[in-house]
Amino acid sequence: QRRQRLWDNQRYFVERMAPLGYQILSTATPIVPVLIGDAAQCQRHAQALRKEGIHVDAIQFPAAPLGQARLRFMMNAGHTREQIDHAVAVMARLAGRV
């Protein structure tokens, strides 16, 4: 049951992110990397998300190739739809979609 909720949350997050124009680098696991590109921009996104109470890791060189900084969202079975919607809404705002 928890495994099913985990994958349901992962799919829900990916589906909600799709219209925002971000490139999702992998959907093979519950860890969803979202390409930002520029390392400084990635750090700004991560800070904005953290200020909203959203845990996210900013991954950049040397852990990721130069110019391919990404945010790593880690879905879990305990996330609610409201929490996922909030994360997506912040990402929409950061993309200038709101």
Side-chain angles (χ1 to χ4, degrees), residues 42-43 46 50 54-59 70-74:
C42 189
Q43 285 296 331
R50 289 183 196 121
I54 300 162
H55 175 80
V56 66
D57 293 320
I59 310 300
R70 66 219 41 200
L71 296 172
R72 182 168 56 192
F73 290 87
M74 292 167 273

Side-chain angles (χ1 to χ4, degrees), residues 15-59:
E15 289 168 5
R16 296 279 313 206
M17 287 290 291
L20 301 183
Y22 289 104
Q23 182 180 354
I24 295 177
L25 299 175
S26 174
T27 59
T29 73
I31 299 171
V32 182
V34 177
L35 182 67
I36 302 300
D38 178 70
Q41 184 70 19
C42 189
Q43 285 296 331
R44 286 191 293 274
H45 275 49
Q47 284 180 322
L49 287 155
R50 289 183 196 121
K51 283 182 183 176
E52 293 283 339
I54 300 162
H55 175 80
V56 66
D57 293 320
I59 310 300

